[in-house]
Each structure stands twice: as structure tokens, then as C-alpha cells.
Amino acid sequence: MGEAGRYPKLRPVDLRPMNRNGRSYILVRDPLRLSDQMVLIPQPLAPVLTLCDGTRDLRAIRAALMVRYGVRVDEETLRALIATLDELYLLDNSRFAEAQARALEDYRRAPFRPPMLAGEVYPADPEDLRRMIHRFHEAAAPDDPVSEGRGLLSPHIDYARGGRTYARVWARAAPFVREADLVILLGTDHYGEDGAITLTRQHYATPFGVLPTARPIVDALAQVLGEEAAFAGELRHRGEHSIELAAVWLHAIREEKPVELVPILCGPFASFIEGDLDPMDDPRIARFLETLRAAVAGRRAVVVAAGDLSHVGPAFGGRPLDLRGRARLKAEDESLIAHMVAGDAAGFFARIRETRDRNNVCGVSPIYLALRLLEPTVGEPVDYDLCPADEAGTSVVSICGILWR
């Protein structure tokens, strides 16, 4: 076993609680999809994932499990678990790096980024997808479309839970979205590094066809960000759902006509939330926005922020949400929405920082960047919903739709 194997370090992965036959597990999945297999870890062994931080060997992990968590595990069981994580490229080591490099090369050589969630979150067959979207529109009873607008906030939750909000906001925005000749799509990068802005030159496909990426604009942005930084996490575009779920609705509402796209993944703003600076105080972010504004000048551009709001309850490591908790959550969401509607990027971010983002708003960076890109702007709230996030109904994801003029 090499150095990386003796001191295992877990990569950023997707962790989800799961119950099976009355027992609790943690489901571990790879957001980069280097392997389609998943690992189910019994809840008592879940601390192993935290302890795999690259500083401990197997003996130290076993000792920490016993001392910190009161969990006894034999060496062979622990060794087998870590070997499985390694086999599925979930450890940060040379084996993972080689698999990532191969996958990135394949991604870039392909004619387009395929719709990864087709057949899982929505139908892969275009006709079936059309029917599904039509049903959402009929059930949502959206308000009359508006002819003028420059941007919108769309959810990125699955359609089964967020379909009403998707339908209402995209139907209301339909006229100006159909007239657009360029769409800037800012999506949450759920596994991105702090402050990362990640580009791709790859086109995005939906079941309706291909949305071509505006590569000259991507090139201009990459020059400002630095080529290495701009594309360091490019492979996350392949598996990230935020841009894809908005892009499918964009393509549908345009009656399947393509439009040039600039797909941008936006990493978390944790250092700004924990500190005392506004993201615009970062020269790199300021130059990025300045370059993007210059690129869209004179174009019929639409800015789309693909972001959800709060993630609260046991499914996200918090306490069960009761009626009082729901009322508090709605009030805090309404405060954020008021800043968004006012086009107040600074106020929106100040509110997030004031609460230390205790509600886990996963759309902070794309919403903030959209507001800055569009300013001055004013918005119109279109829909708001609380979506269930566990079977007990004690965890929720809040979402909303907003149009910006």
C-alpha cells in the first residue's frame, strides 16, 4: 500500500443518509461520476469518512474511532472499507488523479456534454419530456407572460418537487427568453472550491438538441480568471445538475430553438460569509463581472441564476423542522427575497453573512453574481415553495422564482 493508501484522504463526495431494513446508513456517491457504483456505510462507521483526512494511517483511524466515537472495528473491516473507497476513486490520490484526467479528456473530446439526468430526473425521450413539461404548466396556472426582462432566478431542485416553480417562472419569462440571442447561465457548483468560478468550452445538450457554448466569451473570461483556475474543476460540469436542469427548461420554453449559452459553475462564498468583505472586494470577481458585462453589451442577453434557497432539517444535519421552525424559515427567506427583488446584491449578501448562512442557502453565489451582473435592476417574485427533503417531513428545501428587468 503506497503513501496515499496508508494515509487515506477522502475527496469531496456526495453523502446522503439512508434507511434500509430498519438500519441507518450513509450513501456515498461520486459527484464526478468516475464510477457509477455507490457505497453504503453503516451509520456507526460513518466517522471513518471524517477521519480519512490524509493525516492518519489505518491504526490511527481505528484508535480515533474508539476514543472519539466509542466504535470498535477490526483492522480487516476497516482495510476493506478504505480499499472500496479507493477502488471507486473516492480517495484523493494518484489513482483518482489518473482517472480524472482520462475522464476530462473524454469529456472535452465529445461533441457535447450529454444530459446526464435524462432518464433519471426527467424523460430522455423528447416527446415524453414535452408532455411532462406541459403537465407542469397546466397544473401551475402561471400568470400572463411579460414581454420585457433581463434575467430570472430558476430552481435547480428536481422537477418532481420543483415543477410548479419552474413552470411559473419560465412561463412568465417566455417572451423575452425566446427573443434572447445569448443566455448567461450561472449554476451552483455543489462540490466546487471556495470562490471558484469554473468554465467549460463544451456545448450543453438536452433531449431537444444542443445549446452551443459561446466560446469567444468563455475565452475572454478565462483570460481574466487565468486558464488554469478557470478550468481546474471543469469535469464538475459533467455531473453537476444545476445548469442542466435550468438548461432543459430554457430549451423547452424556447420551443426547442437553440441559443448561445455561457455555462458558469459558481463555487461557495464561504470565506466571504465568514469574513467581513463583500465578494466584489475580490479583484478577480470584479474583473470577471466587468468582462462579462462587456461581452453581453449590445446583445439580447438573459441572465439565469440556477439556485435553490434554504436546506433545513435532519437531512442537512439540523434539527427537525416543526410549524414554528417553518414560520421562521419563511420569514428569513422572505427577507432574502426582498433584497433579490430590490436588486440589492450587497444587502442580499449582508443578510447571508449576518446569519452565517445558517439555513444553507445553496444558491448564494449564482444569485449574488446575477444581481451584480444585472445591476441596476428590480425584480418580481413569481413563486415560492417548501419542498420535502425527508420521508418524515421534518426537512425541507425552499425554492423561489424571480424575474429581473
Side-chain angles (χ1 to χ4, degrees):
M1 187 179 290
E3 187 73 11
R6 286 183 314 191
Y7 296 90
K9 181 180 180 181
L10 190 72
R11 288 174 41 221
V13 295
D14 185 9
L15 303 176
R16 302 191 181 189
M18 175 175 288
N19 291 308
R20 177 175 290 183
N21 299 324
R23 299 184 63 186
S24 296
Y25 296 88
I26 298 296
L27 177 68
V28 186
R29 301 193 300 186
D30 182 4
L32 293 183
R33 297 196 177 197
L34 298 178
S35 171
D36 289 331
Q37 297 184 53
M38 297 172 282
V39 183
L40 270 182
I41 298 180
Q43 185 66 47
L45 291 181
V48 169
L49 301 174
T50 301
L51 296 171
C52 285
D53 62 359
T55 68
R56 300 175 178 87
D57 59 13
L58 293 181
R59 181 178 298 179
I61 293 173
R62 284 186 70 206
L65 275 173
M66 183 171 62
V67 173
R68 294 189 186 183
Y69 303 99
V71 175
R72 295 180 180 273
V73 59
D74 62 83
E75 184 174 337
E76 288 307 310
T77 298
L78 183 58
R79 187 182 300 276
L81 172 57
I82 292 175
T84 299
L85 295 175
D86 187 26
E87 180 183 352
L88 302 184
Y89 309 111
L90 299 174
L91 298 182
D92 190 353
N93 55 27
S94 60
R95 190 169 179 276
F96 153 67
E98 291 169 1
Q100 182 184 38
R102 290 193 301 269
L104 181 58
E105 184 178 1
D106 291 343
Y107 169 81
R108 289 174 172 172
R109 284 182 174 178
F112 49 76
R113 176 207 182 272
M116 297 291 286
L117 299 178
E120 297 179 17
V121 174
Y122 57 84
D125 178 77
E127 186 57 39
D128 291 340
L129 181 55
R130 290 184 200 104
R131 283 194 290 265
M132 185 200 76
I133 290 175
H134 179 69
R135 288 195 299 270
F136 279 129
H137 279 284
E138 286 190 323
D143 294 332
D144 292 338
V146 297
S147 58
E148 296 184 1
R150 296 190 297 135
L152 64 135
L153 170 60
S154 171
H156 63 230
I157 198 170
D158 57 89
Y159 298 160
R161 291 181 291 173
R164 186 193 76 191
T165 302
Y166 278 101
R168 287 183 174 176
V169 72
W170 283 100
R172 190 128 170 85
F176 66 83
V177 168
R178 288 171 183 159
E179 291 298 316
D181 64 7
L182 177 68
V183 173
I184 310 299
L185 213 170
L186 301 157
T188 298
D189 189 350
H190 289 85
Y191 302 96
E193 296 180 0
D194 184 39
I197 296 173
T198 301
L199 308 177
T200 185
R201 295 185 174 95
Q202 186 57 280
H203 306 306
Y204 263 71
T206 80
F208 302 128
V210 176
L211 297 169
T213 290
R215 290 173 173 168
I217 296 178
V218 172
D219 290 341
L221 295 173
Q223 187 172 3
V224 169
L225 296 171
E227 187 83 9
E228 183 176 351
F231 297 101
E234 184 182 5
L235 192 58
R236 290 196 298 275
H237 273 272
R238 184 178 70 160
E240 175 58 65
H241 64 271
S242 59
I243 289 178
E244 177 176 338
L245 292 177
V248 169
W249 219 278
L250 164 69
H251 215 169
I253 215 69
R254 284 180 56 85
E255 299 173 331
E256 305 174 23
K257 297 175 183 177
V259 63
E260 275 198 302
L261 193 68
V262 181
I264 303 170
L265 285 177
C266 309
F269 280 168
S271 59
F272 297 108
I273 292 171
E274 295 165 3
D276 58 1
L277 295 178
D278 186 283
M280 277 297 287
D281 294 326
D282 184 332
R284 180 181 56 94
I285 293 177
R287 289 195 301 270
F288 163 79
L289 287 170
E290 180 182 358
T291 303
L292 198 49
R293 287 193 199 99
V296 304
R299 302 285 297 267
R300 297 192 305 276
V302 171
V303 178
V304 178
D308 295 335
L309 295 181
S310 301
H311 292 59
V312 179
F316 310 106
R319 296 180 179 180
L321 201 64
D322 56 17
L323 290 177
R324 180 176 296 181
R326 284 175 176 260
R328 176 193 60 79
L329 175 62
K330 287 182 179 180
E332 294 186 359
D333 280 345
E334 286 171 0
S335 176
L336 289 178
I337 292 170
H339 287 295
M340 287 187 261
V341 169
D344 181 11
F348 166 79
F349 192 76
R351 181 59 181 156
I352 291 288
R353 187 168 52 205
E354 179 184 336
T355 65
R356 289 293 186 265
D357 195 22
R358 65 176 170 233
N359 291 335
N360 303 311
V361 176
C362 79
V364 171
S365 51
I367 293 170
Y368 174 90
L369 292 171
L371 288 169
R372 286 297 191 187
L373 184 57
L374 290 167
E375 63 184 4
T377 186
V378 293
E380 169 195 334
V382 177
D383 196 50
Y384 174 83
D385 201 8
L386 292 178
C387 305
D390 61 24
E391 294 180 357
T394 57
S395 300
V396 301
V397 174
S398 63
I399 61 174
C400 74
I402 293 175
L403 298 189
W404 288 300
R405 302 178 191 274

